[in-house]
Amino acid sequence: MEEKKKGVSEDWLAFWLAIVIFAISLLAYTGIDPLGWVVSTQEWTDSSKAIAPTGKVYQSLKGEITKIDGNKLTIKKPDGKEETVTVSDPTKYKVGDTYEKKGLSGFASLVLTYIFMAVVFTIGAALMRANIVKFNIGFFFVFWLSYLCWFIGHYAYFAATDAKKFNIPWSLKLTGEGGFIFALLLGLIVGNFFRGFAKFIGEALKPEFYIKTAIGLMGALLGLKAAQSFGLAQAVLFRGLCAIIEAYLIYWALVYWIARKWFKFSKEWAAPLASGISICGVSAAIATGGAIKARPVVPIMVSSLVVIFAVVELIILPFFAQAFLWKEPMVAGAWMGLAVKTDGAAFASGAVVDALIRAKAETAAGIKYEPGWMLMAASTTKLFIDIFISIWAFILAYIWCAKIESRPGERVSATEIWRRFPKFVIAYAVTFIVILLITIPYAPKVGSVEGKVNKIKKEITTIEKQLTQVTDPAQQATLTAQIDAKKKQIQDLEASAKDAKKIISQTSVSTAGTNALRVLFFLITFFTIGVMSDFRKLWEEGIGKLALVYLICLFGFILWIGLLISYIFFHGVKPPVITG
């Protein structure tokens, strides 16, 4: 394989890109929405209503004014939903008037998003010494073909969990994340049936760069979620760490033994194969190959297999989890992290299983789980695995130097471990910790107040029903006084949490923008993974025997041991439930 031109590593570029975008998002604490113009896509039957800017401040709004409270207007939109807006001069409006605000069109938001992504990734490509012209041409097709899949994936017949909501007779209930699958399938078609075109856009096929940047950004959203449910977050982190250590030690030893004992692979092949098949795919195979000084062809062949089987897992496992694990959602999430072997496919499968199981739980049991927690279980276990790669590389390097090859005087330095450490994980940790530290003093208070307010509102509703059933003036006065007193309680509670709610609201604005970009980075990762999976080329390189080992180990025991370990550590742990 042709050696790549030297430049800044994908790990460092992904780290800095994620950090810069995250820093921009923090401008939300100054009262603006710096990334609200990023496009978001909704389930649709009318394509004109499918896309809009992420931030409300950039969205168009039209509806009837139903309430005026100070400088806040409550607007009833045509779909029946209400939204509150703040105006500078409320005297211009009265209840019953039509309020209208022009915003950024969905198409303009989409174009701006493409331009932004093209610019930032072009900078990254330049630092990696890629051909900038070819990269931009390729990225044009990567983005728009990927987004077409995302758009189609949100078509209500594919995505809607409640077909009646869209007045349609049926839906596949894939949720909008079905667009990930469409992008992957389109990529596979391009990579295997339109190889000339795949080669034409080849300079932009950098799935590891895209997904590592997305992972860095993902920490921010998970930081907010962790602050809002800190006890559960602690359980996920601890259980994830325990699960990957146990799984890692079991997986690697078994695969290495099978490769050596049954298939007679040399140690040079067996070690990268064990790391690639059992743990972390491409990164682990490459790190292990370097640690034991294997020939370059060894980790390259293993990495090719990893991508192929990750695609297979990505298509199969989330739907298996939806069918059989929807009552144990966090088990399903952790299983994705332990079972799917590439970063891109593991995080993406976590996102898909999160959506599929939430949809199943809502339709089958009426339970509405908060989004993102199954993804957090998958990402936590996978990221712990990534972090552990450097440690494992050090262990293997030491064993190979001291025991296998026995080269006197050769040592593995701390510098070598740092060189192998996945740098993008640092961005994930930074964004996670920063948002957690910002919000943890305020989120519990907001959650407590909201819980009390919701309880009081239910009490008010009950009293109002009683009020409609009594005719005695004295009883009416008593009930009215009770309603007024409870409304005063709500006002006092909300006033006590005003500053805290402001911080949480600003954090939500900040993380909404970064999350919208993260989703799109995931999306183009799916497409590019598919394009790079040229099955014929890999077969011609003699990958058959390796594939047989992979197949036996993956479906013979790795998936099921991973499922058992996930069950042991995450059984009974449930995501927070959306109430109200």
Side-chain angles (χ1 to χ4, degrees):
M1 178 175 284
E2 182 181 345
E3 186 178 352
K4 293 183 178 180
K5 297 178 181 179
K6 290 184 178 180
V8 181
S9 71
E10 285 184 350
D11 266 16
W12 276 120
L13 284 173
F15 166 81
W16 284 113
L17 179 53
I19 290 297
V20 168
I21 294 174
F22 175 66
I24 293 171
S25 75
L26 295 180
L27 292 174
Y29 293 104
T30 67
I32 64 175
D33 188 352
L35 296 174
W37 46 267
V38 176
V39 71
S40 66
T41 310
Q42 308 299 322
E43 296 171 5
W44 59 274
T45 52
D46 180 355
S47 60
S48 65
K49 299 178 181 179
I51 58 177
T54 298
K56 288 184 178 181
V57 69
Y58 294 92
Q59 297 172 359
S60 299
L61 177 63
K62 183 177 182 179
E64 179 186 353
I65 301 174
T66 59
K67 181 181 178 182
I68 300 176
D69 183 9
N71 61 345
K72 293 183 178 180
L73 309 181
T74 301
I75 311 299
K76 186 176 182 180
K77 298 185 288 188
D79 62 3
K81 295 182 179 179
E82 291 189 337
E83 185 171 325
T84 301
V85 297
T86 301
V87 296
S88 57
D89 186 4
T91 61
K92 296 180 179 179
Y93 308 95
K94 64 178 185 292
V95 173
D97 284 353
T98 297
Y99 176 87
E100 183 172 6
K101 181 195 72 170
K102 294 292 184 182
L104 189 66
S105 72
F107 182 73
S109 174
L110 179 59
V111 171
L112 285 174
T113 303
Y114 162 70
I115 293 172
F116 177 80
M117 289 176 62
V119 169
V120 296
F121 283 130
T122 296
I123 293 172
L127 293 172
M128 286 189 287
R129 305 289 177 84
N131 185 308
I132 301 305
V133 174
K134 289 183 179 180
F135 176 84
N136 272 282
I137 293 172
F139 188 77
F140 175 86
F141 288 102
V142 166
F143 178 88
W144 290 106
L145 288 174
S146 299
Y147 188 78
L148 177 62
C149 296
W150 191 241
F151 184 79
I152 294 171
H154 281 75
Y155 186 41
Y157 280 93
F158 296 134
T161 56
D162 183 4
K164 294 179 181 178
K165 179 180 176 182
F166 292 90
N167 296 316
I168 56 177
W170 59 271
S171 170
L172 294 180
K173 299 181 179 180
L174 297 177
T175 75
E177 279 81 356
F180 289 138
I181 302 299
F182 293 150
L184 177 64
L185 293 176
L186 179 60
L188 287 171
I189 292 170
V190 170
N192 290 276
F193 298 100
F194 299 92
R195 292 182 173 87
F197 180 65
K199 184 177 180 181
F200 176 70
I201 64 174
E203 196 75 5
L205 302 179
K206 301 183 182 298
E208 294 291 328
F209 181 34
Y210 303 140
I211 195 63
K212 288 174 181 177
T213 307
I215 292 166
L217 293 176
M218 185 171 62
L221 179 65
L222 297 181
L224 174 59
K225 291 183 178 297
Q228 291 173 328
S229 296
F230 192 63
L232 179 57
Q234 287 177 308
V236 170
L237 292 171
F238 175 74
R239 291 164 191 255
L241 177 61
C242 295
I244 70 101
I245 292 175
E246 185 169 343
Y248 201 109
L249 298 177
I250 295 172
Y251 285 169
W252 200 93
L254 280 174
V255 176
Y256 183 83
W257 183 80
I258 288 172
R260 294 279 290 142
K261 186 75 172 179
W262 290 5
F263 291 88
K264 308 303 180 184
F265 279 110
S266 68
K267 295 172 183 176
E268 179 194 35
W269 280 96
L273 190 59
S275 293
I277 294 176
S278 63
I279 308 301
C280 191
V282 175
S283 300
I286 292 173
T288 300
I292 68 171
K293 292 184 170 16
R295 290 167 296 155
V297 68
V298 177
I300 288 172
M301 292 280 279
V302 174
S303 297
S304 299
L305 269 179
V306 167
V307 173
I308 294 172
F309 278 93
V311 169
V312 175
E313 291 178 280
L314 184 56
I315 293 174
I316 296 174
L317 294 189
F319 293 97
F320 183 93
Q322 183 194 38
F324 298 102
L325 294 174
W326 67 272
K327 292 183 179 180
E328 291 288 349
M330 299 300 281
V331 172
W335 188 38
M336 297 302 104
L338 287 175
V340 184
K341 303 307 170 192
T342 70
D343 289 332
F347 285 101
S349 64
V352 173
V353 84
D354 191 283
L356 292 176
I357 288 184
R358 283 190 292 108
K360 179 69 175 285
E362 183 174 355
T363 55
I367 301 172
K368 295 180 66 175
Y369 289 124
E370 279 191 10
W373 282 91
M374 284 164 271
L375 172 58
M376 182 183 183
S379 61
T380 299
T381 54
K382 196 69 179 73
L383 284 173
F384 279 140
I385 289 171
D386 283 343
I387 293 171
F388 200 59
I389 289 173
S390 60
I391 300 172
W392 195 247
F394 171 80
I395 293 171
L396 290 178
Y398 175 79
I399 292 174
W400 248 251
C401 291
K403 305 296 181 183
I404 305 298
E405 296 177 351
S406 297
R407 295 175 180 174
E410 185 167 310
R411 297 180 181 274
V412 179
S413 66
T415 302
E416 179 67 12
I417 296 176
W418 170 246
R419 188 180 67 82
R420 300 178 193 281
F421 189 85
K423 312 301 187 300
F424 68 94
V425 175
I426 303 173
Y428 173 92
V430 168
T431 56
F432 180 91
I433 292 170
V434 168
I435 293 297
L436 182 65
L437 292 177
I438 290 174
T439 53
I440 194 64
Y442 305 101
K445 184 173 184 179
V446 171
S448 174
V449 167
E450 287 180 346
K452 293 176 181 178
V453 167
N454 288 334
K455 182 179 179 181
I456 294 172
K457 284 182 177 179
K458 290 179 181 179
E459 292 172 355
I460 290 174
T461 301
T462 300
I463 296 172
E464 286 176 339
K465 288 181 180 179
Q466 294 175 0
L467 185 60
T468 61
Q469 297 170 356
V470 300
T471 56
D472 180 66
Q475 289 182 319
Q476 288 178 340
T478 300
L479 292 174
T480 300
Q482 291 178 4
I483 292 173
D484 291 340
K486 291 188 178 296
K487 287 182 177 180
K488 180 63 166 57
Q489 288 179 6
I490 291 176
Q491 290 177 352
D492 292 341
L493 283 169
E494 290 180 339
S496 70
K498 182 179 179 181
D499 292 338
K501 289 183 72 173
K502 180 180 179 181
I503 295 295
I504 298 302
S505 175
Q506 290 172 333
T507 306
S508 297
V509 169
S510 172
T511 56
T514 55
N515 191 57
L517 286 172
R518 177 195 65 82
V519 167
L520 294 174
F521 294 170
F522 267 60
L523 177 66
I524 60 178
T525 299
F526 268 80
F527 178 75
T528 52
I529 285 176
V531 176
M532 294 179 70
S533 301
D534 186 339
F535 297 129
R536 185 179 68 179
K537 182 178 179 181
L538 295 174
W539 183 261
E540 290 174 351
E541 291 176 351
I543 208 167
K545 187 179 177 182
L546 289 175
L548 183 59
V549 179
Y550 207 125
L551 183 68
I552 290 172
C553 293
L554 181 65
F555 291 98
F557 61 86
I558 288 176
L559 292 182
W560 316 120
I561 292 176
L563 178 57
L564 176 62
I565 291 173
S566 299
Y567 187 86
I568 290 171
F569 285 101
F570 287 90
H571 171 59
V573 181
K574 300 294 176 66
V577 176
I578 298 174
T579 58

